Amino acid sequence: MTVSQRIAGLWPRRWPVQPFREPSWANQEPTYRDCSPALIEAAGKRASARPSGNWFVLGASRSVRPDRPFGVTVGGRELVAWRDRDGGVRVGPGACPHLGAPLADARLHRGELVCRWHGLRLGGDRRGAWAPVPAHDDGVLVWARLDETGREQPTERPVVPARPGGGARIDAVATLSGICEPEDVVANRLDPWHGAWFHPYSFARLRVLSASQGVEVAEEEDRFLVEVTFRLAGRWGVPVVAEFVCPEPRTVVMRIVEGEGAGSVVETHATPLGPGADGRPRTAVIEATIAASERPGFAVAAKLAPAIRPLVRHTAARLWRDDLAYAERRYALRA
């Protein structure tokens, strides 16, 4: 018996980090037999049929600061977000109604945008053809309701996934973009089988326990249930059981249902940006990680959240650099 095997035999099972054994990458159990393209397509179609109320994620709440505007494009539409005097989020067209100056470069004064070209003030009221759109700040992400882009029945609030409530938590938001459409991002997330093959640096011992099949699936049963170990270093990781669900067309949520950090979520939101200079579509992946734990040590870690967030964003960005290649390839084949 090796030293590592002795340590594994004596390691307390109640601890979150566990040693594990696994075959080499090429000797893993193939997953292509279970990963049916029709199954992923059907799950994506069910997601696309759910209402969004025309709400789109713009970015992290922290990105919309009280001292400067935040510019973004959604569906080819230029937008600007800012905070009013009470700290509430406002969103409006990104071009000044006077001569089209970029309002992302405006100054903020007393909760209003002041155009740097000619000093026109814009706030919460209509100014000619320029008018704010409904906005929502859920504390982690900022949303805007764009009825002309979504073309659905509008709703008062977006479909915000259930998040861990109360106690200590850490949230971080990573944003990347790729040449694809939102459905390609959703399809990537609805393929959990690729995790240990495509991301061996992060996932090990991945097994899909159950998957929604067929076109007619009850809402409460429409999920993928996955057993996986989040790799920390070498053959040490955190084993959990997680579910993947789609609460609306452009959102996939991974929620830990068993194991360390139960209730913690990773929300993947796909926001269409519009065509690039080459005419091909661009989509932003805005991924929010909201981690929580009842362990006393996590409360200490939560106090260090400003230092931890960059690490979380770096990990998410590394995964999505690979996954955007998956989504872009899917779009290229379809197009």
Side-chain angles (χ1 to χ4, degrees):
M1 181 180 292
T2 65
V3 174
S4 61
Q5 287 174 332
R6 290 194 192 99
I7 293 175
L10 297 172
W11 197 259
R13 295 301 173 188
R14 67 181 182 279
W15 289 6
V17 178
Q18 293 289 321
F20 64 87
R21 301 175 67 182
E22 64 171 345
S24 64
W25 181 84
N27 290 324
Q28 297 181 91
E29 186 67 26
T31 57
Y32 69 90
R33 297 183 185 89
D34 298 323
C35 180
S36 164
L39 191 156
I40 296 173
E41 183 179 357
K45 285 183 177 179
R46 291 194 300 272
S48 67
R50 297 189 178 105
S52 72
N54 300 329
W55 290 93
F56 296 81
V57 172
L58 302 187
S61 295
R62 291 185 185 85
S63 297
V64 185
R65 296 169 36 173
D67 60 340
R68 66 187 185 196
F70 175 74
V72 67
T73 299
V74 177
R77 182 177 179 181
E78 188 181 8
L79 299 170
V80 61
W82 74 99
R83 293 197 180 273
D84 60 25
R85 297 184 70 173
D86 297 325
V89 167
R90 301 279 188 174
V91 177
C96 179
H98 176 222
L99 284 176
L103 292 177
D105 295 336
R107 298 285 178 82
L108 275 180
H109 183 253
R110 296 178 181 175
E112 293 183 320
L113 297 168
V114 181
C115 180
R116 293 181 61 195
W117 281 16
H118 302 94
L120 178 63
R121 280 183 172 269
L122 297 163
D125 300 322
R126 176 183 289 273
R127 190 70 178 255
W130 188 96
V133 300
H136 180 75
D137 182 356
D138 64 31
V140 177
L141 299 168
V142 167
W143 307 64
R145 199 185 79 194
L146 307 174
D147 295 338
E148 293 181 4
T149 303
R151 298 182 180 181
E152 297 179 16
Q153 183 67 30
T155 58
E156 186 177 352
R157 290 286 184 270
V159 181
V160 179
R163 294 169 176 167
R169 77 176 197 179
I170 299 174
D171 64 84
V173 179
T175 301
L176 295 87
S177 64
I179 302 171
C180 59
E181 296 176 322
E183 68 176 87
D184 302 302
V185 173
V186 172
N188 170 273
R189 272 296 179 261
L190 294 180
D191 170 15
W193 292 274
H194 78 272
W197 284 100
F198 206 34
H199 310 291
Y201 49 83
S202 289
F203 306 115
R205 300 198 309 173
L206 189 150
R207 185 165 63 100
V208 177
L209 302 177
S210 66
S212 306
Q213 300 193 43
V215 177
E216 298 296 332
V217 177
E219 186 76 23
E220 63 275 9
E221 298 176 352
D222 196 4
R223 67 173 184 168
F224 294 84
L225 194 64
V226 177
E227 182 180 65
V228 63
T229 294
F230 293 108
R231 188 192 298 272
L232 296 180
R235 294 189 177 184
W236 293 85
V238 180
V240 301
V241 175
E243 66 175 6
F244 290 76
V245 296
C246 292
E248 59 111 68
R250 292 176 293 276
T251 299
V252 182
V253 178
M254 186 207 74
R255 178 178 290 104
I256 297 176
V257 295
E258 292 182 24
E260 179 64 18
S264 300
V265 298
V266 177
E267 301 174 7
T268 302
H269 301 272
T271 298
L273 302 179
D278 57 6
R280 294 183 294 175
R282 300 301 196 270
T283 294
V285 176
I286 304 171
E287 186 157 281
T289 301
I290 303 107
S293 174
E294 296 181 357
R295 293 183 182 273
F298 189 85
V300 176
K303 295 179 181 179
L304 302 175
I308 294 174
R309 285 191 190 101
L311 300 176
V312 177
R313 288 196 295 267
H314 172 77
T315 299
R318 183 184 184 186
L319 286 168
W320 268 107
R321 277 192 289 271
D322 285 346
D323 278 338
L324 274 172
Y326 177 125
E328 289 180 334
R329 174 66 175 173
R330 185 179 187 274
Y331 167 74
L333 292 174
R334 190 175 70 258

